[in-house]
Amino acid sequence: MSKRIGILTSGGDCPGLNAVIRGAVKSCVQLGYDCFGFLKGYEGLYAPVQYVPLTGESTKGILNQGGTILGSTNKGRFAAIQGVNDRVEISQHLIDGVKETVRHLDLDGLICVGGDGSLAIAQQFHENGIPVVGVPKTIDNDLTATAFTFGFDSAIECATDALDRLHTTAASHERIMVLEVMGRHAGWIALHSGIAGGGDVILIPEIPWNYEDVCHKILHRESQGKKFTLVVVAEGAHLPDGEMVGEEQEGQQLKLGGIGKQITQEIEKRLHREARLCVLGHLQRGGAPTTFDRVLATQFGAHAVRLVVEGRFGEMICSRPPEMTSVPIAEAVSKIRQVDPMGPAVQAARALGISFGDRPADEVSHGVFDLKLEHVPDLHDTEGLLESTESAVEAAMA
């Protein structure tokens, strides 16, 4: 009997999923493995089991297609995450059912493509003896183990294009335009698209902000003859009172959305200026992947097969340029990577005069390059690293 590998895509869809599938399938063909694709994420692994054979012919032409030919879901019987690091144990009867599927199909390994929630499920599979490897997928780019996740570049391309378009209509009508983008716990999409698209205010989960400084930035621009303002806000940014805006769902994470509307209304109320809102929503998840995401996703697919061939189960493939390496899945999903409020991207944005809603407009650029560490701490010295970080924060706040 020939060797066999299974693959599935779980969680929210994003550009590049089909490129991963194609990369894995073509590698399987070259290495003499049969490949099976399970439908609708993890749901396809349990009765009624749903899968299709994947071949070079059946995956022809999908490299540049958005979405996933296997389908995906972030709901159902295998939902394993309700919040940050809030793991929910999968029922043992579901685990046993997946084991039986893997045994019945005689799979040598199962490639699970997903974000932190989906990979938390893969980790539970691994703990129960199921031969899994992980592929990181999230447009939020918030997994600490990998430098980049595919889908992120495509998402910021979409958001940047939106800002380019909003710029012209905002200037024409002298309006304040608020663009709400995705980003639950990390503001990478808002930060990168805000810089690339010429945003004037960027509001992200990592930096507390207030309406006074946002409004001051708008008025400061007007005093300089700039009669319009572009505000970019991540959907997971906290309101000044610390609250997140969204819809409560029983047994699930808060369904985010609506902060852009509140900000738009508050700006109009305070400044008596015309403001408009644009919510990108799932546009950021749709469409063809960028060149960068196609290359990255293809590498992830091929190297995921390598992990199976090498028997390195319970690991997730990750990009650490110039290497394509791997880490334990448990390590990959244990911590979310957020924007460093004192990092180079934020420093550059402040130097350009971009406001993060935490300082008056005439102080946005003050001291942004003043913070200098006397030495680079040993990354393996946890206690020393913590002390260095605390010292840096104290110096920045002084």
Side-chain angles (χ1 to χ4, degrees):
M1 181 178 293
S2 62
K3 296 173 289 186
R4 297 177 169 182
I5 290 178
I7 186 170
L8 59 84
T9 53
S10 179
D13 67 306
C14 76
L17 284 169
N18 282 327
V20 174
I21 296 169
R22 174 180 174 274
V25 171
K26 290 181 75 69
S27 296
C28 282
V29 171
Q30 295 297 318
L31 297 174
Y33 283 77
D34 290 335
C35 191
F36 294 90
F38 291 92
L39 307 181
K40 299 179 181 179
Y42 290 106
E43 295 295 315
L45 288 168
Y46 189 83
V49 176
Q50 302 177 70
Y51 67 91
V52 294
L54 295 174
T55 65
E57 187 64 27
S58 66
T59 55
K60 182 185 296 183
I62 68 171
L63 177 62
N64 62 342
Q65 291 182 11
T68 165
I69 62 172
L70 297 178
S72 185
T73 181
N74 50 15
K75 300 178 181 178
R77 298 169 289 185
F78 289 87
I81 291 289
Q82 291 184 352
V84 180
N85 295 327
D86 187 9
R87 176 172 129 164
V88 177
E89 296 297 324
I90 301 297
S91 299
Q92 190 59 46
H93 79 277
L94 291 177
I95 298 288
D96 292 340
V98 173
K99 278 186 173 181
E100 175 57 26
T101 299
V102 172
R103 185 200 65 78
H104 178 72
L105 292 177
D106 196 27
L107 297 180
D108 292 275
L110 176 65
I111 298 172
C112 302
V113 188
D116 56 350
S118 298
L119 292 179
I121 300 173
Q123 174 60 22
Q124 293 188 50
F125 285 180
H126 173 63
E127 293 167 0
N128 283 272
I130 299 172
V132 299
V133 300
V135 172
K137 178 274 320 168
T138 167
I139 66 171
D140 290 344
N141 201 42
D142 59 358
L143 291 179
T144 58
T146 183
F148 296 101
T149 56
F150 68 89
F152 171 64
D153 191 67
S154 299
I156 59 175
E157 181 77 15
C158 173
T160 300
D161 179 66
L163 283 169
D164 289 343
R165 295 171 183 272
L166 290 175
H167 187 280
T168 57
T169 184
S172 297
H173 293 274
E174 298 184 348
R175 285 175 176 156
I176 300 157
M177 303 297 296
V178 178
L179 177 68
E180 181 181 309
V181 300
M182 288 185 170
R184 174 173 289 275
H185 302 294
W188 295 107
I189 294 177
L191 176 61
H192 281 243
S193 64
I195 293 174
D200 305 301
V201 179
I202 300 175
L203 306 177
I204 58 178
E206 297 86 346
I207 300 179
W209 58 275
N210 60 77
Y211 283 114
E212 289 75 17
D213 287 334
V214 171
C215 290
H216 189 251
K217 174 64 177 178
I218 295 170
L219 294 176
H220 186 261
R221 283 178 54 79
E222 289 188 5
S223 70
Q224 297 177 324
K226 302 170 183 177
K227 304 299 184 181
F228 69 94
T229 299
L230 297 179
V231 180
V232 188
V233 56
E235 62 182 4
H238 295 253
L239 290 172
D241 62 6
E243 293 295 316
M244 295 177 73
V245 181
E247 177 185 339
E248 294 286 351
Q249 301 179 106
E250 185 177 354
Q252 298 182 39
Q253 296 188 88
L254 180 70
K255 183 179 180 181
L256 295 178
I259 187 171
K261 181 178 180 180
Q262 291 201 23
I263 291 172
T264 303
Q265 292 174 341
E266 188 66 22
I267 288 174
E268 286 192 322
K269 176 183 175 182
R270 289 176 179 244
L271 298 182
H272 304 287
R273 303 292 196 278
E274 191 173 22
R276 292 290 186 269
L277 169 67
C278 178
V279 181
L280 282 186
H282 286 77
L283 283 174
Q284 296 158 93
R285 295 190 178 277
T290 60
T291 300
F292 180 88
D293 279 341
R294 295 182 199 188
V295 174
L296 181 62
T298 299
Q299 290 187 73
F300 276 163
H303 284 277
V305 172
R306 171 173 64 83
L307 292 185
V308 174
V309 172
E310 295 176 354
R312 294 163 59 182
F313 301 116
E315 297 189 16
M316 183 196 82
I317 200 70
C318 57
S319 173
R320 291 181 175 176
E323 302 296 327
M324 188 66 68
T325 182
S326 63
V327 296
I329 294 175
E331 177 184 324
V333 300
S334 64
K335 184 179 180 181
I336 289 176
R337 181 179 65 178
Q338 294 185 296
V339 173
D340 180 358
M342 296 179 292
V346 174
Q347 283 183 320
R350 291 191 191 276
L352 297 175
I354 296 174
S355 170
F356 288 88
D358 61 337
R359 301 179 184 179
D362 51 359
E363 298 178 11
V364 165
S365 302
H366 287 185
V368 295
F369 297 133
D370 290 349
L371 180 62
K372 291 183 175 64
L373 296 179
E374 294 183 0
H375 68 282
V376 178
D378 181 359
L379 295 180
H380 298 287
D381 178 9
T382 306
E383 185 176 346
L385 179 61
L386 180 61
E387 291 177 354
S388 297
T389 302
E390 291 174 345
S391 298
V393 173
E394 292 173 359
M397 298 297 291

